[in-house]
Amino acid sequence: MRGQLSLRRLGAIGIVALAFSGAAMSQGLSAATHGQRPPGLTGQTAELVEPIKLFDNLYYVGTTFVSAYLLTTSEGLILIDSLHDDFTAGSLEQIESLGFDLDDIHYVLISHGHADHFGGAHMVKQRTGARVAMSEADWAMAERVDRARAQPPERDVVYADGDTLTLGNTTIRFYVTPGHTPGVLSMEFTVYDDGRPHKAFLFGGHNVTLRTGDVAGAVRNLIATVERLQHTLEDVDVNLVSHPWAGLIFQRAEQLAERGPSDPHPFVDARDFRAFLQERLETHQSRLVELQ
Ligand SMILES: [Zn+2]
């Protein structure tokens, strides 16, 4: 059994806050739930969530459907995924409400070239002057998008596998992890819990949807990606994903809000990260068998 997540509506503009039931602490989180989207949740039913401080240097500023993260450094801010349409403006307002200056956002890192992740990047760039970054393959994909659906940003920073970005005291290492899209950009960086460092990995695309043309090819790519991550990543103990349910963001946030002084940080869970990768592997291996 898993804690029921409930969301409390705040006013008319569709911002919701987590409602803490007190039940989540006593109920275990299961890796088997990671890949499964909660019933009824779609891009159309998504709502902006009040910002959640996850670590000393990391905030969740996304929606109930698409993740966005704000990473703070000694030399300014990095936004990971821009959201889209009104969500982008709402997310920027939330960042301001946390006391940050939007002019301090220096980079918008886009996890992959689907419009729900990059659609507002041009707006963030306009408002903040931030550089926008994607992988080569996903820049190309975003540029082919139906412009009635989303405006791709002008091509800016291109990151390849193994590249790093350093801003002040913070370095992000990039992994190009094909599967969900041809050029999913995943990211590894350090987060701090009251000064104690932990290694976070943001998997930029954890599944294959039917939007992909060659589904079997994409599933094969995702399997290869997961196997590579299983063999490459060391010491990752914080699982962040580009969609919140896959990282159990809200369930863990409930636990975080109820955390006692001697309790472990609920987002720090190396074993669960490994279980998540294994579940992704097995799910896609089964899917490939069904497709063949
Ligand atoms: Zn996507």
Side-chain angles (χ1 to χ4, degrees), residues 13-15 47-51 60-63 68 79 82-98 102 120 123-124 127:
I13 56 168
I15 297 176
E47 297 191 83
L48 201 58
V49 174
E50 275 198 333
Y60 186 84
V61 291
T63 74
L79 184 60
S82 70
L83 308 177
H84 62 101
D85 299 314
D86 292 344
F87 290 133
T88 303
S91 184
L92 292 177
E93 266 174 42
Q94 308 252 43
I95 291 168
E96 280 185 310
S97 78
L98 290 167
L102 296 184
M123 182 199 288
V124 180
R127 294 269 305 269

Side-chain angles (χ1 to χ4, degrees), residues 112-117 180-181 204-205 207 209 211 242-243:
H112 65 273
H114 283 157
D116 49 346
H117 299 264
H180 184 72
T181 61
N207 62 6
T209 65
R211 294 163 67 179
S242 58
H243 287 275

Side-chain angles (χ1 to χ4, degrees), residues 110-146:
I110 305 296
S111 66
H112 65 273
H114 283 157
D116 49 346
H117 299 264
F118 77 72
H122 67 283
M123 182 199 288
V124 180
K125 185 168 190 161
Q126 208 172 41
R127 294 269 305 269
T128 69
R131 307 285 308 268
V132 181
M134 270 189 261
S135 72
E136 172 67 38
D138 275 29
W139 271 116
M141 195 178 74
E143 287 160 354
R144 289 196 303 269
V145 79
D146 174 2

Side-chain angles (χ1 to χ4, degrees), residues 5-10 16-19 41 47-49 64 250:
L5 173 69
S6 48
L7 296 164
R8 181 169 58 85
R9 182 174 295 276
L10 296 179
V16 293
L18 299 177
L41 180 62
E47 297 191 83
L48 201 58
V49 174
T64 51
F250 303 131

Side-chain angles (χ1 to χ4, degrees), residues 162-175:
D163 283 352
T164 57
L165 162 66
T166 297
L167 184 64
N169 60 353
T170 300
T171 295
I172 298 179
R173 181 182 178 85
F174 296 101
Y175 295 75

